[in-house]
Amino acid sequence: VICTADEWGIRSHGVARLRFYCEMLIQKRINPVARPHIVKSRPSLVLVDGDNGLGMLVGSFSNAIAIERAKETGIGWVHVINSNHFGIAGYYAVQGLKDNLIGIAMTNTPPLVAPFGGIERRLGTNPISMAFPAYKEPPVVIDLATSAISLGAVENSDREDDEVPPCCLIDASGAPSTTPRDLLEGGSLLPLGGARATGGHKGYCLASMVDLMCGVFPGASWGPFVPPFINQAPILENKVGRGIGHVFGAISTGAFEDPLVVQSRVDEWIYTMRNTKVSEWAGEVLVPGDPERRAAEDNARNGLALEVNVAEDLRRLGQEFGLKLEI
Amino acid sequence: VICTADEWGIRSHGVARLRFYCEMLIQKRINPVARPHIVKSRPSLVLVDGDNGLGMLVGSFSNAIAIERAKETGIGWVHVINSNHFGIAGYYAVQGLKDNLIGIAMTNTPPLVAPFGGIERRLGTNPISMAFPAYKEPPVVIDLATSAISLGAVENSDREDDEVPPCCLIDASGAPSTTPRDLLEGGSLLPLGGARATGGHKGYCLASMVDLMCGVFPGASWGPFVPPFINQAPILENKVGRGIGHVFGAISTGAFEDPLVVQSRVDEWIYTMRNTKVSEWAGEVLVPGDPERRAAEDNARNGLALEVNVAEDLRRLGQEFGLKLEI
């Protein structure tokens, strides 16, 4: 999962995070011998207990169930509790494409976002992902955090001594800020949409939707009680709910008619979006999934250059585990 | 459905629109003797053909199927083609609350929004709605258009000679605009998130998701081919897909455990959001659904005042149909 993130150009979720996952396993904050299992099962609706396992393992296990049920019944819908950070949501949404399935993945994440009108972290960046198979064209792959900008983007701006755009961030006192450090020092991200006039209440609604579906409904942790996934972060004293929660959905494009007919329509949709008259600043109209696919093509052609500090860290990590890495 | 919109304070979708629906029926652009029916049925997944009926009728018919299937199987998921504008999405999402169901409603709508980087109308304001039952608290009701602002908001600003906020609108040439008339004269709305730096590509992804789920996948019209719902608008020459498409979903809060336990957790979530430290400008942190509930309480207490021109139009409409309205 984390290699796919690097391949797709989402470096914030790539091997740079391997150390955190390893440390969490070593400290047993993630259960290294977890056995995710089905708790409740109906033909199209399933609850999985992740046994506090690695999110990628629990996620792959649970997503496979959604796919299997969609093949059997047309739709598979799996709620997951007691899991951990599962990497990029898009990884799971694309798994059913080869079986002609629409894929859905959501997860709640540790609190970083203030609810609209609030000045404390109460919600995660709670991403939503969906993938639609096309016929001749590559699939449409949607994957978005419901905050205005991601933690990764703020960290990048901080490293480059840059400002972040207005309406994305508040400092610890609740004042609007464009200074990345203000987030790292106790501020909050704002929900997608920014101010009231531009729809900040909508981003709050979307983040809430993901939190209620992934956390509150199935019994995982939620809101400010979602556990951190970085080993340096203190363990929460107030435990509410069990671990991080995910939702995986799959719907068969063949449920109503020949899947190739459906997928040809997705092609037409893609052509229609691409053929929109283009804004001067944009150069072209992209289809969701284009940036990641292009990064992957570029990486396949030219190789994937790791940042020096990430490569160094991987080498050290290898040594700690008695592995020799040729990098 | 349209009375509920007025009751909830969403006047743009209220009885002010009754004339459009009536004219569409008189002109047979909407089938006045429609018989919506199930085309494909699996226990949790259904396709409905709306027979080009009134969206409220087709929507209510189809949503009731989602609710029924959720009671039987834990989850009901209904795609609808060949329908028309169904009013406010939230109306449908709340129908299952009394049966302890989470409700979901989406629809595509006629093109008004430019894809991110484009300058032509290619997508609708494509709303997403979800409702979650609480125990002691009122339900959480989410209902948002995936554009930065709604057509109704632009029309309001136009009437009041006001500007709209930046990053919400472009004129017909694609130039950013804050002048409401620019939309009415061939411009486009921008997706939720506005500019690239503040996540405009995310709003585009959300609108695409709704269009692909409601239109492209089940075979309804999609993107620029979604038919207009105002009778003065020309009928599209290029017909692609069949009518407007909706999705209705319902999930039983009792699927995994006692629904009252789940609903008590929703209460806790509500308290947690409300108790967030508040920004100076905000006064309080609301929970999704609060504004509509308060409007409804206020209207129940004080009565609902119609604008003079809306009341006049209703009276005329009544006369045309041989009804005497006491307003």
Side-chain angles (χ1 to χ4, degrees):
Chain A
V1 179
I2 62 181
C3 288
T4 301
D6 275 318
E7 191 190 334
W8 290 3
I10 311 166
R11 311 305 280 273
S12 56
H13 287 59
V15 291
R17 279 195 178 160
L18 188 57
R19 172 164 295 278
F20 295 126
Y21 297 117
C22 289
E23 296 286 350
M24 292 285 279
L25 284 163
I26 289 166
Q27 294 174 17
K28 303 271 170 73
R29 285 170 73 163
I30 294 178
N31 179 1
V33 292
R35 291 182 172 273
H37 54 276
I38 291 177
V39 179
K40 295 271 178 183
S41 180
R42 303 187 74 169
S44 297
L45 183 67
V46 174
L47 177 67
V48 167
D49 182 328
D51 197 18
N52 190 26
L54 198 63
M56 291 78 176
L57 186 137
V58 177
S60 297
F61 173 84
S62 308
N63 191 41
I65 295 169
I67 288 172
E68 174 200 307
R69 298 305 175 93
K71 286 196 224 169
E72 288 164 14
T73 73
I75 181 168
W77 196 264
V78 180
H79 288 266
V80 185
I81 60 171
N82 205 8
S83 183
N84 287 283
H85 194 267
F86 74 6
I88 49 170
Y91 174 86
Y92 305 95
V94 303
Q95 295 305 314
L97 291 174
K98 61 179 181 311
D99 293 315
N100 299 323
L101 302 176
I102 296 167
I104 302 169
M106 296 186 274
T107 185
N108 62 7
T109 65
L112 267 179
V113 176
F116 185 73
I119 59 175
E120 288 176 294
R121 300 173 175 186
R122 283 286 183 270
L123 292 161
T125 54
N126 299 359
I128 301 172
S129 177
M130 279 193 78
F132 296 86
Y135 183 46
K136 292 183 182 168
E137 290 294 302
V140 180
V141 184
I142 291 160
D143 187 357
L144 60 111
T146 52
S147 52
I149 49 170
S150 65
L151 175 61
V154 176
E155 289 172 332
N156 282 346
S157 299
D158 186 51
R159 266 195 297 274
E160 290 159 18
D161 250 339
D162 240 358
E163 301 216 309
V164 298
C167 290
C168 293
L169 189 58
I170 51 177
D171 68 17
S173 79
S177 165
T178 56
T179 310
R181 282 233 69 79
D182 282 339
L183 175 64
L184 311 176
E185 287 166 4
S188 305
L189 294 174
L190 292 178
L192 176 62
R196 162 85 207 175
T198 53
H201 55 297
K202 299 185 182 187
Y204 169 40
C205 283
L206 290 167
S208 299
M209 184 175 103
V210 174
D211 199 33
L212 288 158
M213 284 292 273
C214 294
V216 177
F217 162 50
S221 65
W222 47 266
F225 309 110
V226 176
F229 62 88
I230 291 173
N231 58 299
Q232 295 101 323
I235 295 171
L236 293 178
E237 280 174 30
N238 193 354
K239 289 211 177 172
V240 174
R242 299 178 60 212
I244 280 181
H246 319 303
V247 171
F248 300 102
I251 300 175
S252 169
T253 57
F256 302 143
E257 58 186 312
D258 183 341
L260 295 185
V261 172
V262 174
Q263 291 166 32
S264 299
R265 283 201 297 264
V266 177
D267 280 355
E268 290 301 320
W269 186 91
I270 291 170
Y271 301 143
T272 303
M273 293 303 142
R274 287 205 201 291
N275 290 336
T276 310
K277 229 186 283 170
V278 181
S279 189
E280 261 173 49
W281 60 264
E284 66 183 320
V285 172
L286 296 175
V287 163
D290 280 348
E292 293 79 9
R293 193 172 40 78
R294 288 181 187 177
E297 284 165 6
D298 190 57
N299 287 327
R301 213 169 19 243
N302 304 318
L304 196 155
L306 291 180
E307 285 177 34
V308 174
N309 59 345
V310 172
E312 286 294 331
D313 191 47
L314 278 185
R315 191 180 292 119
R316 271 197 305 274
L317 197 59
Q319 280 165 354
E320 288 165 32
F321 283 87
L323 299 168
K324 200 170 141 64
L325 281 119
E326 310 265 339
I327 50 175
Chain B
V1 180
I2 63 180
C3 288
T4 301
D6 275 318
E7 191 191 333
W8 290 4
I10 312 166
R11 311 303 281 272
S12 56
H13 288 58
V15 290
R17 280 192 177 161
L18 188 57
R19 173 164 294 280
F20 296 127
Y21 297 116
C22 289
E23 296 286 351
M24 292 287 278
L25 284 163
I26 290 167
Q27 295 174 18
K28 304 267 168 76
R29 285 170 74 163
I30 294 178
N31 180 0
V33 291
R35 290 182 173 273
H37 54 277
I38 291 177
V39 179
K40 295 271 178 184
S41 179
R42 304 188 72 172
S44 298
L45 183 68
V46 173
L47 177 67
V48 167
D49 182 328
D51 197 18
N52 190 27
L54 198 61
M56 290 77 176
L57 185 136
V58 177
S60 297
F61 173 86
S62 307
N63 192 40
I65 296 170
I67 287 171
E68 173 199 308
R69 300 306 176 94
K71 285 196 226 169
E72 289 165 12
T73 73
I75 181 168
W77 196 264
V78 179
H79 288 266
V80 185
I81 61 172
N82 206 9
S83 183
N84 287 285
H85 194 267
F86 73 5
I88 50 169
Y91 175 87
Y92 306 95
V94 303
Q95 296 304 316
L97 290 174
K98 62 181 180 308
D99 292 315
N100 299 323
L101 303 176
I102 296 167
I104 303 169
M106 298 187 273
T107 184
N108 62 8
T109 65
L112 267 180
V113 177
F116 184 72
I119 60 175
E120 288 176 296
R121 300 174 176 186
R122 283 283 184 274
L123 292 162
T125 54
N126 299 359
I128 301 172
S129 178
M130 278 192 79
F132 296 86
Y135 182 47
K136 293 184 183 166
E137 290 294 304
V140 180
V141 184
I142 291 161
D143 186 358
L144 60 112
T146 52
S147 52
I149 49 172
S150 64
L151 175 60
V154 176
E155 289 172 334
N156 282 348
S157 299
D158 186 50
R159 267 195 295 274
E160 290 159 20
D161 249 340
D162 237 1
E163 301 217 308
V164 299
C167 291
C168 293
L169 188 58
I170 52 177
D171 70 16
S173 79
S177 164
T178 56
T179 310
R181 282 233 70 77
D182 283 340
L183 174 66
L184 310 176
E185 287 167 4
S188 305
L189 293 174
L190 292 179
L192 176 62
R196 162 85 206 173
T198 52
H201 54 297
K202 298 184 183 187
Y204 168 39
C205 283
L206 290 167
S208 298
M209 186 176 102
V210 175
D211 199 33
L212 288 158
M213 284 294 273
C214 293
V216 177
F217 162 50
S221 65
W222 46 266
F225 308 110
V226 175
F229 62 87
I230 291 174
N231 60 300
Q232 294 101 324
I235 295 172
L236 293 178
E237 282 176 27
N238 192 355
K239 288 213 176 172
V240 174
R242 299 178 59 212
I244 279 182
H246 319 304
V247 170
F248 300 102
I251 300 176
S252 169
T253 56
F256 303 143
E257 58 187 311
D258 183 339
L260 295 187
V261 172
V262 174
Q263 291 165 31
S264 299
R265 283 202 296 265
V266 176
D267 280 354
E268 289 301 319
W269 185 90
I270 291 170
Y271 301 142
T272 303
M273 293 305 143
R274 287 205 202 289
N275 290 335
T276 310
K277 230 187 282 170
V278 180
S279 191
E280 261 173 48
W281 60 264
E284 65 182 323
V285 172
L286 297 175
V287 162
D290 280 347
E292 294 79 9
R293 193 172 40 78
R294 288 182 186 176
E297 284 164 5
D298 190 57
N299 287 328
R301 215 172 12 244
N302 304 319
L304 198 155
L306 292 178
E307 285 177 36
V308 174
N309 60 346
V310 172
E312 285 294 332
D313 192 46
L314 278 186
R315 192 180 292 119
R316 273 197 304 275
L317 197 59
Q319 280 166 354
E320 289 165 33
F321 283 87
L323 299 169
K324 200 169 142 62
L325 282 119
E326 309 266 338
I327 51 176

